[in-house]
Amino acid sequence: MKKLKIAYGVAGALVAAVAAVGLWNWHAEHLHVASLEKQVAALQKDEMRSAIVSSVSKQLGDIASDQQRIAEEKAEEAERQKQVADEERMRSEIAKREAQEAERQAKEEKQNAEEARHKADIERNNAMLSEQRATEAKRQADTLRYLALGHSLGASSLQMQSTNPEIAQLLAYYAYYYTEAYGGDMFTPAVFQALLNASHSWQTWKKHRGAVTGIDFMPQGDDRFVTVSTYGEMFIHKKVGNRLETKTILSSKDLDFRDLYVTKQGSIFALSRSGHFVYWRSEMAKPRIISLKQVTYPLAFNALNDRYIQVIGERAMALIDLSKKDDEAVVGVNNLNFKVVSCGLHKGMSVLFDDQHHEYLVRDFNKIDPPKKILPMGTVSEYVYSASSDLRFYGMTDGSIYMYKSDSDIPVKMIGHKSRITKMKLYNYHLYTTSYDGKMNFWNTESDKTKTGKIEPMELLSMRAWILAFTSDNTGQYVWTGDHQGNLTEALLRVSNMKSYIETELRRKHRDFTEDEWTYYIGKNEPYRPVLFAKGKEVRR
């Protein structure tokens, strides 16, 4: 039973096992079938999707084909447009090159035109310059010709002075006319001397017994002038017409006047070699004679300013204070350890010259610079300095004059006198000098006149007497000289005055060049055009 139960149990177990296996197989088959169905369903979905995809792909393919066709058409169109653009670009390039070539040609033509215009301008400018040069050359030639004519007429006038004074005046007048009209130098010796001689510009009066050693005009507005002499004479003069009215201020045989100074206020100081100075004002009845103690053999006055003047003696100096009373006027004396032979003023200070060829600058009344050798060696008789031109002039005892420019230590030697220089005065660049040789010379020392290193003198006066003193009048038109014979001489200074005098004389005589005289003196190449009586006035070219 037990075995049966075991058999039943085993059989049951087997049946259960078989049933379980069969069930599992069924279940597995069912799962497989389900899986297959799912696969089939999936395949169907895939097939449907494939169909859709295929359809979509076909559609996309068609679209792609259309797009490709469109793209190909666009590509073809783009190619056509590219060809058209290339053709346009080529045409544009060609046009551009043509434009550039045209521009280049235009620039070239413009440059050629500019060059041609520039060349034409140059040629025109050259032509104008040539014309200007020709005109200037002609003007210069004419100027030189007429200036040479002026000099020639002046020289001819000098030659004719003694034989035919009237023709000499005409020649001098036309010498002035051509020189002035063509900008020449009126102080050229031939022209200036001809005017001087033809104008009869001087007259002389015998006034003093002794040598005239000082001459000076009263202040501006007063037409009188004072003179002193070695005979102790002090006179005051006034010219009335052709007469010289003279009044004696003082005459003393005990005095020997060597210098004269008139202040701006009209006070007169005269220096005597006897060791005195004389002081006089017009309101004083008599002049006052004041002794200069310790100053032996006074030589000259040096006016330092409106208040002080120095008296220079051979061995001492005295200082005079013009603000003091007569007896108190000498406020100082300074003894010197050298012998003074001449003196002058330099920049408001006294400069002294000794007999050993030295010069001394007096910076203060009691302060004198160490001696300085005079170069060139020689004895100085006169010295003058001009602040406006910064020129120094040394007049020597041998008649020579040395000019020093401010920027040079090398002097310019001026030769025109034969004897001791007695007086020099400088007005700007115009130097006037006198000498024992009886001459008064004029020197034009302007800088452009001295480049050659040679300055020619022009003779203002020549007389048979030593000219010891001179001055100009307050108008600057006349110069007055005094000589060792006691004569006073007046001479014209201004060229315009000389010309006016000659012109007046010629018109008074109704005298001008005849045609024959014109041809002879002026020349055949210059048309006959006298100027003295052309409508009563000078004709200016």
Side-chain angles (χ1 to χ4, degrees):
M1 182 64 138
K2 186 179 182 182
K3 286 181 179 182
L4 182 59
K5 286 179 179 182
I6 295 167
Y8 281 146
V10 170
L14 286 171
V15 171
V18 169
V21 169
L23 183 60
W24 182 86
N25 285 329
W26 177 87
H27 181 69
E29 185 63 28
H30 180 74
L31 291 174
H32 179 68
V33 170
S35 175
L36 288 175
E37 287 178 350
K38 287 180 178 179
Q39 288 179 0
V40 169
L43 287 174
Q44 288 176 347
K45 287 181 179 180
D46 289 340
E47 183 178 0
M48 290 178 66
R49 187 181 291 114
S50 296
I52 293 170
V53 169
S54 175
S55 176
V56 170
S57 297
K58 183 175 180 303
Q59 291 176 357
L60 291 175
D62 292 340
I63 292 171
S65 296
D66 291 339
Q67 289 178 342
Q68 182 178 4
R69 180 179 56 78
I70 292 170
E72 288 176 353
E73 289 177 355
K74 288 184 177 180
E76 290 177 358
E77 181 65 23
E79 184 64 26
R80 285 194 301 273
Q81 290 180 354
K82 180 176 178 297
Q83 289 177 357
V84 171
D86 289 343
E87 290 175 359
E88 289 294 330
R89 185 171 61 253
M90 289 179 63
R91 283 195 294 269
S92 176
E93 288 292 332
I94 292 172
K96 181 179 179 181
R97 286 196 294 271
E98 289 177 349
Q100 289 176 342
E101 178 64 20
E103 182 180 6
R104 186 192 63 79
Q105 290 179 356
K107 287 183 178 179
E108 184 175 349
E109 290 176 358
K110 181 180 179 181
Q111 184 176 358
N112 291 337
E114 288 288 338
E115 291 177 355
R117 184 174 63 80
H118 182 62
K119 185 177 180 181
D121 288 342
I122 292 175
E123 291 177 352
R124 183 170 63 255
N125 290 337
N126 288 339
M128 291 175 62
L129 185 61
S130 297
E131 183 179 358
Q132 290 174 357
R133 286 175 177 170
T135 302
E136 179 64 17
K138 183 179 183 303
R139 188 192 67 80
Q140 290 180 356
D142 287 344
T143 298
L144 292 175
R145 180 165 64 88
Y146 283 115
L147 291 179
L149 176 60
H151 297 172
S152 174
L153 294 174
S156 298
S157 174
L158 292 173
Q159 294 174 358
M160 299 292 292
Q161 287 292 336
S162 59
T163 57
N164 193 334
E166 202 169 84
I167 287 293
Q169 282 187 321
L170 271 171
L171 291 168
Y173 179 80
Y174 278 94
Y176 167 89
Y177 174 77
Y178 285 111
T179 303
E180 189 271 341
Y182 290 90
D185 184 3
M186 289 298 173
F187 294 104
T188 301
V191 178
F192 185 83
Q193 202 70 51
L195 289 169
L196 187 69
N197 290 355
S199 61
H200 306 296
S201 59
W202 65 85
Q203 48 187 326
T204 300
W205 296 267
K206 171 70 174 176
K207 289 293 181 178
H208 286 276
R209 290 182 299 163
V212 179
T213 51
I215 180 170
D216 203 357
F217 266 79
M218 298 295 282
Q220 193 73 31
D222 192 338
D223 56 359
R224 298 175 301 165
F225 65 96
V226 182
T227 57
V228 294
S229 77
T230 55
Y231 272 39
E233 300 164 310
M234 181 188 289
F235 297 158
I236 189 164
H237 314 270
K238 181 177 181 180
K239 187 182 176 188
V240 179
N242 289 326
R243 296 182 298 106
L244 192 62
E245 296 181 351
T246 301
K247 176 183 176 182
T248 300
I249 299 174
L250 176 69
S251 180
S252 173
K253 63 180 181 180
D254 297 326
L255 300 176
D256 179 2
F257 291 123
R258 296 305 174 95
D259 201 5
L260 175 69
Y261 174 64
V262 178
T263 70
K264 294 179 180 179
Q265 294 72 34
S267 298
I268 300 170
F269 290 82
L271 184 64
S272 173
R273 190 164 173 78
S274 62
H276 301 83
F277 74 88
V278 173
Y279 170 68
W280 183 77
R281 293 195 308 266
S282 58
E283 68 271 16
M284 295 170 59
K286 293 182 179 180
R288 295 174 183 173
I289 302 174
I290 301 169
S291 176
L292 286 166
K293 299 177 181 179
Q294 302 180 39
V295 181
T296 56
Y297 303 122
L299 302 172
F301 286 125
N302 270 347
L304 303 180
N305 48 51
D306 291 341
R307 179 174 177 178
Y308 293 104
I309 57 176
Q310 288 179 355
V311 174
I312 309 300
E314 286 188 356
R315 294 288 182 177
M317 300 185 303
L319 183 64
I320 298 177
D321 186 343
L322 300 179
S323 67
K324 301 287 186 181
K325 293 181 179 180
D326 302 341
D327 295 335
E328 301 174 354
V330 179
V331 294
V333 175
N334 186 1
N335 293 318
L336 306 173
N337 59 4
F338 54 88
K339 182 180 179 181
V340 179
V341 294
S342 62
C343 63
L345 282 171
H346 182 82
K347 296 183 179 180
M349 297 175 288
S350 290
V351 57
L352 312 178
F353 301 92
D354 68 10
D355 57 352
Q356 299 300 314
H357 310 150
H358 295 102
E359 67 175 279
Y360 305 78
L361 184 63
V362 183
R363 294 194 177 274
D364 189 80
F365 186 69
N366 294 306
K367 182 180 179 181
I368 302 176
D369 280 359
K372 184 173 67 174
K373 271 290 183 183
I374 299 169
L375 295 175
M377 295 287 288
T379 302
V380 177
S381 57
E382 277 290 308
Y383 174 84
V384 67
Y385 167 78
S386 170
S388 60
S389 59
D390 201 15
L391 297 175
R392 293 174 288 147
F393 295 87
Y394 294 79
M396 314 301 282
T397 55
D398 65 357
S400 59
I401 300 170
Y402 293 92
M403 179 184 76
Y404 284 86
K405 300 179 182 180
S406 58
D407 57 351
S408 174
D409 290 329
I410 301 175
V412 175
K413 188 174 183 180
M414 301 160 59
I415 300 175
H417 289 291
K418 299 177 181 179
S419 302
R420 178 190 182 97
I421 303 299
T422 57
K423 202 73 174 177
M424 298 194 304
K425 287 193 177 184
L426 189 63
Y427 303 96
N428 294 323
Y429 287 95
H430 294 170
L431 179 69
Y432 297 86
T433 60
T434 54
S435 167
Y436 281 169
D437 62 10
K439 291 183 180 180
M440 182 179 190
N441 284 341
F442 163 80
W443 315 74
N444 190 6
T445 65
E446 286 187 84
S447 57
D448 59 340
K449 308 291 183 186
T450 61
K451 291 178 180 177
T452 60
K454 186 177 181 181
I455 305 173
E456 295 290 342
M458 283 162 276
E459 186 179 294
L460 287 173
L461 286 173
S462 180
M463 55 186 66
R464 296 179 180 180
W466 299 350
I467 302 176
L468 303 178
F470 72 89
T471 191
S472 64
D473 68 355
N474 290 326
T475 67
Q477 297 183 29
Y478 293 90
V479 64
W480 286 82
T481 66
D483 61 41
H484 84 284
Q485 296 176 350
N487 297 313
L488 301 178
T489 300
E490 178 199 51
L492 268 174
L493 270 182
R494 289 186 181 174
V495 170
S496 58
N497 292 83
M498 300 177 193
K499 172 254 184 185
S500 296
Y501 176 88
I502 297 171
E503 185 179 61
T504 300
E505 285 292 298
L506 290 172
R507 285 183 173 173
R508 183 178 61 80
K509 300 171 185 177
H510 209 78
R511 184 70 165 91
D512 207 332
F513 279 131
T514 64
E515 290 194 35
D516 290 340
E517 289 170 341
W518 181 278
T519 301
Y520 183 80
Y521 292 109
I522 306 297
K524 295 181 180 179
N525 295 328
E526 182 68 15
Y528 179 62
R529 287 181 291 187
V531 298
L532 277 167
F533 297 100
K535 296 181 181 180
K537 298 180 180 178
E538 280 191 359
V539 176
R540 295 301 180 200
R541 297 169 188 269

